[in-house]
Amino acid sequence: MRVLGIDPGLTRCGIAAVDGAIGRPLSLVGADALRTSPDADLPQRLLGIERGIEEWIDRVRPDAVAVERVFAQHNLSTVMGTAQASGIALVCAARRGLPVALHTPSEAKAAITGSGRADKAQVGTMVARILGLDSPPRPADAADAVALAICHIWRGGAQARVAQAQQDFARKVELARRARGR
């Protein structure tokens, strides 16, 4: 499975692709940060992020996309920019029919380090160790995107199976109700 991880941000949007499966070694396809100028108009910044994500999807052809779930922060302008960039990532994935999963920062940190409260340095160190890299991907936003992709590979498969089982169960319940209604 190839997962495109996206750590949304308006100035720096971390983006990375990782190949792997549960119980198998993972490999880094690539990692970077899409950058926009704080001096540019908001629509142009969002367009730049959209173009960057589209280019990555075209180039790496992911099987799924993992996006960091936006959470409340004290700085309203920061959370708004993050939410807008997140929306762009979701639209790009939906446009391609790619499955999308949202993972909180704590989920990704816990998957990578064992602690949902790990700092950026700890996440970067563990990402490098897991992937057998000499050093963490730079900038830190790229390492965070890698962590999201790894989190999805390790946890997303189980989440997808649970969701599918819930859908199958609901479908069977509905069929049973209809059969009794005859």
Side-chain angles (χ1 to χ4, degrees), residues 6-8 66-72 101-112 115-117 123 144 147-149 151-152 155 159:
I6 300 175
D7 178 29
V67 180
E68 184 175 279
R69 183 182 301 272
V70 177
F71 62 98
L102 298 171
H103 299 282
T104 66
S106 295
E107 287 172 337
K109 290 174 183 180
I112 300 305
S115 170
R117 302 182 82 157
V123 170
D144 290 346
L148 285 161
C151 174
H152 185 71
R155 294 184 171 187
Q159 290 171 341

Side-chain angles (χ1 to χ4, degrees), residues 86-101:
S86 179
I88 295 296
L90 298 175
V91 167
C92 289
R95 184 181 295 135
R96 305 296 180 91
L98 294 169
V100 177

Side-chain angles (χ1 to χ4, degrees), residues 76-142:
L76 184 59
S77 64
T78 300
V79 78
M80 288 299 295
T82 302
Q84 291 163 330
S86 179
I88 295 296
L90 298 175
V91 167
C92 289
R95 184 181 295 135
R96 305 296 180 91
L98 294 169
V100 177
L102 298 171
H103 299 282
T104 66
S106 295
E107 287 172 337
K109 290 174 183 180
I112 300 305
T113 69
S115 170
R117 302 182 82 157
D119 63 25
K120 283 193 178 285
Q122 291 169 313
V123 170
T125 298
M126 286 306 296
V127 161
R129 184 174 293 160
I130 290 165
L131 295 173
L133 305 173
D134 293 333
S135 62
R138 294 281 180 233
D141 306 277

Side-chain angles (χ1 to χ4, degrees), residues 29-51:
V29 177
D32 202 356
L34 307 172
R35 292 173 172 82
T36 66
S37 171
D39 298 329
D41 291 335
L42 177 63
Q44 292 305 310
R45 296 177 80 184
L46 293 173
L47 185 59
I49 291 168
E50 188 260 352
R51 286 180 179 151

